[in-house]
Amino acid sequence: LTLLGRALADDEFECLYIRAQELRHMPLRRVLQRGMARGEVDPEIDLDQAMYFTQGPFVAKRLVEFDPLTDDDIEVFTDLVCRALAPH
């Protein structure tokens, strides 16, 4: 049984799972908030959606394609995400 599966089947475990996810998201949330404060990230965007958008290319490359992330992948994905989240 996966963690997600158990969280769906057990209300108490679901609360623990949600809390663990919140803690896991905290560093990225802080990075985006700092970017907003410095004018590097559009302050009008939804922070939660921006977090999923930021993680998407990395997750897709690793979990969907089963390819390891290279330094070049990380650089390209980071550049694309920064461009997309920048104020226009």
Side-chain angles (χ1 to χ4, degrees), residues 1-15:
L1 192 60
T2 66
L3 292 177
L4 181 56
R6 184 163 176 204
L8 293 171
D10 180 331
D11 290 341
E12 187 176 339
F13 193 82
E14 179 183 10
C15 290

Side-chain angles (χ1 to χ4, degrees), residues 12-73:
E12 187 176 339
F13 193 82
E14 179 183 10
C15 290
L16 295 171
Y17 181 81
I18 289 170
R19 180 67 182 136
Q21 290 296 88
E22 289 170 354
L23 291 172
R24 188 177 65 81
H25 288 152
M26 201 173 299
L28 180 54
R29 181 179 297 280
R30 285 185 183 145
V31 166
L32 292 171
Q33 288 171 328
R34 288 179 186 153
M36 287 176 175
R38 289 193 304 253
E40 298 166 347
V41 174
D42 186 343
E44 299 295 317
I45 62 170
D46 180 274
L47 192 56
D48 289 325
Q49 296 299 325
M51 287 176 27
Y52 290 119
F53 178 82
T54 300
Q55 295 171 9
F58 300 97
V59 171
K61 175 76 174 185
R62 187 68 186 118
L63 298 180
V64 176
E65 300 298 327
F66 297 108
D67 287 338
L69 284 165
T70 65
D71 289 343
D72 195 44
D73 290 332

